[in-house]
Amino acid sequence: MTLQHLLGGIVGAGNVLTAPEDTKPYFTDWRRQYSGAAECVVRPASTSEVAAVVALCDREGVAVVPQGGNTGLVGGSVPMGKRREIVLSLSRMNRIRAIDPLNDTATVEAGCVLAAVQKAAQDAGRLFPLSLAAEGSCQIGGNLSTNAGGVNVLRYGTAREQVLGLEVVLPDGRVWNGLRALRKDNTGYDLKQLFLGAEGTLGVITAAVLRLFPRPSANATAWIALESPRAAVALLALLRERLGDRFSAFELISRASLEAVLAHSRDAHDPLRDVHPWYVLAELGDSGEPTMLRERVENALADCAERGALCDAALAQSGEQSRSLWRIRETIPEAQFTNVKHDISVPVSRIPEFIARAGEALEATFGKIPIYCFGHVGDGNLHYNVGSEALMPRSAEVSRVVYDTLTEFGGSISAEHGLGQLKREEIRRHKDPLELELMRALKDTLDPKGLMNPGKVL
Amino acid sequence: MTLQHLLGGIVGAGNVLTAPEDTKPYFTDWRRQYSGAAECVVRPASTSEVAAVVALCDREGVAVVPQGGNTGLVGGSVPMGKRREIVLSLSRMNRIRAIDPLNDTATVEAGCVLAAVQKAAQDAGRLFPLSLAAEGSCQIGGNLSTNAGGVNVLRYGTAREQVLGLEVVLPDGRVWNGLRALRKDNTGYDLKQLFLGAEGTLGVITAAVLRLFPRPSANATAWIALESPRAAVALLALLRERLGDRFSAFELISRASLEAVLAHSRDAHDPLRDVHPWYVLAELGDSGEPTMLRERVENALADCAERGALCDAALAQSGEQSRSLWRIRETIPEAQFTNVKHDISVPVSRIPEFIARAGEALEATFGKIPIYCFGHVGDGNLHYNVGSEALMPRSAEVSRVVYDTLTEFGGSISAEHGLGQLKREEIRRHKDPLELELMRALKDTLDPKGLMNPGKVL
């Protein structure tokens, strides 16, 4: 029997895709940056089907590429086409298994679309805070496997921190049921941490117990003009002293980024009258009355203005105003679509110096070129995009300058997107060889045949 | 040369202790439950000294017992006396290496006493939230190695969640420098997670980068009387909707626990006039004015009282009143010192049913016996203590009943204290063999000679 027949015996022939028109969306990522062929796409509907598929592949020596919404940015969910491989799509495993409002937990399958998890939490009167641009199509299994970040990390942490328990199919097809719904459990090594952020290279996450939170009943959105990134970092510290942990986002936006949006979108307009070199978009959430929160934010901003800690600020007076401020932030990526992109992080305190130094280093090599710098300054995470289409042929050179500057600052070359195929080689220039050796030792222990998502991460 | 001489060559002869009067406090835990001999106690003062000591032990086949404040409750830091072993005390490694207020991080050495870390954060205008009874003598390296819990987990998480980076001496003496100060870093497997909570069985944590937080400027403490644990769980959900994430503690206290305190301590008095079967001690923190927070808490409690969600409540009107309420909670352990103790967790929603079922099961076997049930209900973590001195000879039987009930509820037999020596055998009855196999595989990969804290955890 062929592999396809055997797989069909497990998941049903209709769930083994081989025709090019069927497999195409699974073999290429959504931005069409990565493409590779595999023998087929297999779509199991349950944990036991996943286990049987993986066990079969283990016996046959066929590699497995786990895939969720295929919205990743580093090619982690796309086959490489270099060996016998199948794509294992989790999209049919999309049940919300349970919601427990009194334990503030949701038990969900890997193939649940992130927005569906958010919706299920909302229907139970709770918040699932993970939120990112692809939430309408990315799947929670992929979010967990890549330790996704997004706009609420400042307050709620990354995907890793949302997880209390996991169910994982191991590379030999055995199922580890670690679906505990406990906030405290010190009974040995915390195995779930291994699989979170491993980009499918150590096993297949099939389900998870996620934390839920109280829903904020009040929100406030502020657009703040500043002289410099240094002022943004200082302002964050000052405002957190006054407003505590209410911040869910604190997004830095350079004037160049705003201008790109204004040029790209007719609907967009500059929220302030005067021109300023830098901005922050801040979002806050709280329980209680919205007017109470807005009053506190207004007072804190007025106080900061008086102390010279900001140039100007506008507080959204309605949901519509808040959405239009956020639209500016969300439009930045498409407004400067083709250039050399970097998803990087440094300690928050070192952002100003990094931005200055990287700018100088780039100018020294490439002359005056546009730099679109924006991102989650509260997490030390910048999207640092350089040049325009004309610079693309020199993208490797550009990235080299950015990453080498970054390493001097104790930064990370992948803050929230992962390594995948894209940064698998580059990371070797930045990581301690001992750390790479430990990673390899873990990989060899859990996946001795090297069948789980080969060519990614390591 | 003898081992002691070689060790003296690394750390200085004065830092190799062998005389019984010197080694005694290191060979026995503070409660005097565990005792064992080792060849000596070695007290290195730097990471390179730790590395040299561990490398020497690796060559000589001598086991290493890493020890911090030796305040653990499961015998994890005490030698077993069954083989060639040394105690490696980290207490001389007690420097605060750096505080970065704008990055909200502290870089500290493993031997720093927890209270010293809290103090250093406070001096920089920040909060390090980990807080527990032993904070005046426990050390941060031990807190991280045991993933300590304490009173602020509800808001800030356990010790694991406070860590951004680690420095670890591996079992062969090599140093892994993972002291990154980044909030986001998705460049491969998150190795620090392996060592956090591993109780020193995979390597020696020598330093860490810890998260800091804004300091709350307002606090509120409430003592709330309730009909049942069910009412406590429901009240927590109701109050979190109204007061958001301001809760740092939500502690359940049974009437029996309060009465033990009243009998034990002349200073203590019942905070309420009438007798009630259950209580909650709630602590809240916020930025802004204390009066503002107290008013909000008062309104929320009044609203809950009106809805019949609580029997009675008292809000502390001063710092002194708050401290005296907390003194009741903190006196519970010594007020019922000798009985059969359990540090357990269940999903928060299942606490009421667990308490009922465990009580019935114990009564069926042992008849009417006192049960002191208290703990961090917001984390699902109960300290469930049974009987008095008379029951101690049957402690194994008692624990068996409690743990078996617990397993039906998806609970944990060690919520925050770890496994150490105490629960190393018992855990085999409760954990999936596959999970034990994975733990063993990790141990064999990182510590193939089995020299790191043998006889603990696994």
Side-chain angles (χ1 to χ4, degrees):
Chain A
M1 287 228 281
T2 66
L3 182 69
Q4 277 86 331
H5 274 98
L6 293 166
L7 289 166
I10 298 166
V11 298
N15 290 306
V16 180
L17 313 180
T18 51
E21 65 273 23
D22 294 334
T23 58
K24 198 175 161 213
Y26 299 89
F27 288 175
T28 303
D29 70 307
W30 68 287
R31 290 194 310 166
R32 302 189 189 171
Q33 303 284 309
Y34 304 94
S35 224
E39 305 216 352
C40 57
V41 176
V42 185
R43 303 174 69 237
S46 67
T47 303
S48 59
E49 286 185 9
V50 173
V53 168
V54 173
L56 173 64
C57 289
D58 175 62
R59 281 196 303 278
E60 302 283 328
V62 175
V64 176
V65 181
Q67 188 177 99
N70 201 15
T71 61
L73 297 169
V74 293
S77 59
V78 178
M80 308 280 286
K82 291 183 180 162
R83 54 170 294 164
R84 289 195 76 190
E85 269 181 333
I86 63 158
V87 168
L88 181 76
S89 166
L90 278 300
S91 52
R92 287 179 69 220
M93 286 197 65
N94 60 359
R95 284 189 315 135
I96 305 285
R97 289 192 191 163
I99 299 261
D100 181 346
L102 290 179
N103 194 41
D104 275 326
T105 46
T107 307
V108 305
E109 292 184 345
C112 288
V113 168
L114 173 53
V117 177
Q118 294 167 345
K119 172 73 164 52
Q122 182 170 350
D123 291 348
R126 294 295 185 272
L127 173 74
F128 180 63
L130 191 67
S131 173
L132 43 96
E135 63 196 27
S137 48
C138 64
Q139 294 170 14
I140 190 70
N143 298 144
L144 302 184
S145 292
T146 56
N147 186 27
V151 294
N152 286 327
V153 174
L154 184 56
R155 179 159 181 177
Y156 297 99
T158 63
R160 180 184 299 279
E161 291 162 271
Q162 314 310 319
V163 181
L164 296 183
L166 280 187
E167 178 186 83
V168 177
V169 173
L170 300 175
D172 61 8
R174 291 187 294 175
V175 180
W176 172 52
N177 182 346
L179 284 177
R180 288 186 278 263
L182 303 172
R183 278 178 171 66
K184 285 184 176 174
D185 176 27
N186 279 347
T187 55
Y189 308 153
D190 191 359
L191 297 177
K192 68 177 178 288
Q193 305 292 350
L194 277 173
F195 304 101
L196 296 165
E199 304 186 37
T201 62
L202 299 177
V204 183
I205 294 175
T206 48
V209 181
L210 305 172
R211 285 175 202 260
L212 305 179
F213 293 84
R215 288 187 70 72
S217 52
N219 283 83
T221 311
W223 180 270
I224 305 166
L226 295 159
E227 271 308 316
S228 64
R230 190 170 306 279
V233 168
L235 183 68
L236 175 62
L238 209 57
L239 286 174
R240 287 185 83 189
E241 274 167 30
R242 278 166 181 67
L243 298 167
D245 287 333
R246 289 171 180 79
F247 285 96
S248 58
F250 201 82
E251 303 282 302
L252 186 70
I253 297 171
S254 68
R255 178 74 198 176
S257 304
L258 174 60
E259 281 178 2
V261 171
L262 298 176
H264 175 81
S265 161
R266 255 184 303 191
D267 299 340
H269 62 101
D270 189 334
L272 298 172
R273 213 186 34 191
D274 297 329
V275 169
H276 300 275
W278 292 90
Y279 305 93
V280 157
L281 176 63
E283 181 74 22
L284 300 96
D286 199 0
S287 55
E289 291 298 320
T291 49
M292 258 167 77
L293 174 63
R294 275 189 211 138
E295 201 178 296
R296 282 191 72 163
V297 175
E298 208 158 336
N299 291 342
L301 289 174
D303 187 25
C304 289
E306 219 163 87
R307 297 171 56 155
L310 55 83
C311 301
D312 197 359
L315 193 62
Q317 297 302 321
S318 66
E320 183 38 42
Q321 280 186 18
S322 163
R323 276 187 296 280
S324 99
L325 292 175
W326 271 101
R327 220 151 25 225
I328 294 173
R329 166 66 184 85
E330 285 156 5
T331 306
I332 301 175
E334 59 189 82
Q336 39 86 52
F337 194 74
T338 310
N339 51 22
V340 191
K341 297 187 190 303
H342 308 94
D343 161 49
I344 58 182
S345 67
V346 289
V348 176
S349 53
R350 306 204 70 189
I351 286 177
E353 208 184 336
F354 168 77
I355 291 176
R357 191 89 69 81
E360 287 159 22
L362 287 168
E363 192 173 330
T365 313
F366 303 98
K368 270 263 176 244
I369 43 172
I371 294 174
Y372 304 95
C373 178
F374 62 100
H376 320 292
V377 69
D379 316 319
N381 179 193
L382 298 175
H383 297 298
Y384 189 88
N385 298 345
V386 180
S388 56
E389 189 144 18
L391 200 65
M392 293 303 281
R394 299 182 70 184
S395 65
E397 269 178 277
V398 171
S399 295
R400 179 64 45 99
V401 171
V402 173
Y403 292 150
D404 285 354
T405 309
L406 200 60
T407 295
E408 294 168 41
F409 285 80
S412 166
I413 68 162
S414 187
E416 56 179 8
H417 297 166
L419 296 176
Q421 305 177 32
L422 177 65
K423 297 178 181 172
R424 180 190 164 216
E425 286 303 325
E426 181 67 22
I427 193 64
R428 308 193 152 268
R429 299 187 60 245
H430 304 280
K431 237 188 211 335
D432 181 355
L434 176 56
E435 185 156 344
L436 292 168
E437 183 187 322
L438 289 170
M439 282 170 56
R440 169 53 62 189
L442 292 175
K443 171 75 174 173
D444 290 344
T445 301
L446 285 160
D447 180 23
K449 296 186 190 171
L451 295 177
M452 297 306 304
N453 214 6
K456 320 295 164 58
V457 182
L458 281 163
Chain B
M1 291 228 281
T2 66
L3 182 67
Q4 278 87 330
H5 275 96
L6 292 167
L7 289 166
I10 298 167
V11 298
N15 289 306
V16 180
L17 313 180
T18 52
E21 65 273 24
D22 295 332
T23 58
K24 198 174 161 211
Y26 298 89
F27 289 175
T28 303
D29 70 305
W30 69 286
R31 291 192 310 165
R32 303 189 188 173
Q33 303 284 307
Y34 305 93
S35 226
E39 306 217 352
C40 57
V41 176
V42 186
R43 303 175 67 236
S46 67
T47 304
S48 58
E49 286 186 8
V50 173
V53 168
V54 173
L56 173 65
C57 288
D58 175 61
R59 282 196 301 277
E60 302 282 328
V62 175
V64 174
V65 182
Q67 188 178 97
N70 201 14
T71 60
L73 298 168
V74 292
S77 58
V78 178
M80 308 281 286
K82 290 184 180 159
R83 53 168 297 164
R84 290 195 76 191
E85 267 181 332
I86 64 158
V87 169
L88 180 76
S89 167
L90 279 298
S91 52
R92 288 179 68 221
M93 283 196 67
N94 59 0
R95 284 190 314 137
I96 306 284
R97 289 193 192 164
I99 300 260
D100 182 347
L102 290 179
N103 194 41
D104 275 326
T105 47
T107 307
V108 306
E109 292 185 345
C112 288
V113 169
L114 174 54
V117 178
Q118 295 167 346
K119 173 74 165 50
Q122 183 170 348
D123 290 348
R126 295 293 184 273
L127 173 75
F128 180 62
L130 191 68
S131 173
L132 43 95
E135 63 195 25
S137 48
C138 65
Q139 294 169 14
I140 189 72
N143 298 144
L144 302 184
S145 293
T146 57
N147 186 25
V151 293
N152 286 327
V153 174
L154 184 55
R155 179 157 180 179
Y156 298 99
T158 64
R160 179 184 300 278
E161 290 161 273
Q162 315 309 318
V163 181
L164 296 183
L166 280 187
E167 180 186 81
V168 177
V169 173
L170 300 175
D172 60 9
R174 289 186 295 173
V175 180
W176 172 54
N177 181 346
L179 283 178
R180 287 186 279 264
L182 303 173
R183 280 178 167 68
K184 285 185 176 173
D185 176 28
N186 280 347
T187 55
Y189 308 154
D190 192 0
L191 297 176
K192 66 177 179 290
Q193 305 292 349
L194 277 171
F195 304 100
L196 296 166
E199 303 186 37
T201 62
L202 299 178
V204 184
I205 294 175
T206 49
V209 180
L210 305 172
R211 281 176 204 261
L212 305 179
F213 293 84
R215 289 187 69 73
S217 52
N219 283 84
T221 312
W223 181 270
I224 305 164
L226 295 158
E227 272 307 318
S228 64
R230 190 170 304 279
V233 169
L235 183 68
L236 176 61
L238 209 54
L239 285 174
R240 287 186 83 191
E241 273 166 32
R242 277 167 181 66
L243 299 167
D245 287 333
R246 289 172 180 78
F247 285 96
S248 57
F250 201 83
E251 304 282 303
L252 187 70
I253 297 169
S254 69
R255 179 73 197 175
S257 304
L258 173 62
E259 281 177 2
V261 171
L262 298 176
H264 175 81
S265 161
R266 256 185 301 189
D267 299 338
H269 63 100
D270 190 333
L272 298 172
R273 213 183 38 191
D274 297 329
V275 169
H276 301 276
W278 292 91
Y279 305 92
V280 158
L281 176 61
E283 181 75 21
L284 300 96
D286 198 1
S287 55
E289 291 300 318
T291 48
M292 255 167 81
L293 174 64
R294 272 186 214 139
E295 201 178 296
R296 281 192 73 162
V297 175
E298 209 158 335
N299 291 342
L301 289 173
D303 186 28
C304 290
E306 218 163 85
R307 297 171 57 156
L310 56 83
C311 300
D312 198 358
L315 192 62
Q317 297 301 320
S318 66
E320 183 38 45
Q321 280 187 20
S322 164
R323 276 187 296 278
S324 100
L325 292 174
W326 271 101
R327 219 147 32 225
I328 294 173
R329 166 65 183 85
E330 284 155 6
T331 307
I332 301 173
E334 60 190 83
Q336 39 86 51
F337 195 75
T338 310
N339 52 23
V340 190
K341 296 189 191 302
H342 308 94
D343 162 47
I344 58 183
S345 67
V346 290
V348 175
S349 52
R350 307 204 69 188
I351 286 176
E353 206 184 336
F354 169 78
I355 291 176
R357 191 90 67 80
E360 287 160 21
L362 287 167
E363 192 172 332
T365 313
F366 302 99
K368 269 262 177 246
I369 44 172
I371 294 174
Y372 305 94
C373 179
F374 62 101
H376 320 292
V377 68
D379 317 319
N381 178 195
L382 298 174
H383 298 297
Y384 190 89
N385 299 344
V386 180
S388 58
E389 190 143 17
L391 199 64
M392 291 304 280
R394 299 182 70 185
S395 65
E397 268 178 280
V398 173
S399 295
R400 181 61 46 100
V401 171
V402 173
Y403 292 149
D404 286 353
T405 309
L406 200 58
T407 294
E408 295 168 39
F409 284 80
S412 166
I413 68 163
S414 188
E416 55 178 10
H417 296 166
L419 296 176
Q421 303 178 34
L422 178 64
K423 297 179 182 173
R424 181 187 162 218
E425 286 302 326
E426 181 67 22
I427 193 63
R428 308 191 151 270
R429 298 187 58 248
H430 303 280
K431 236 186 212 334
D432 180 353
L434 177 56
E435 185 156 345
L436 294 167
E437 183 187 321
L438 288 171
M439 284 170 55
R440 170 51 66 189
L442 292 176
K443 172 77 172 171
D444 291 344
T445 300
L446 285 159
D447 180 23
K449 298 186 189 169
L451 295 177
M452 297 307 306
N453 214 6
K456 321 294 165 54
V457 183
L458 279 163

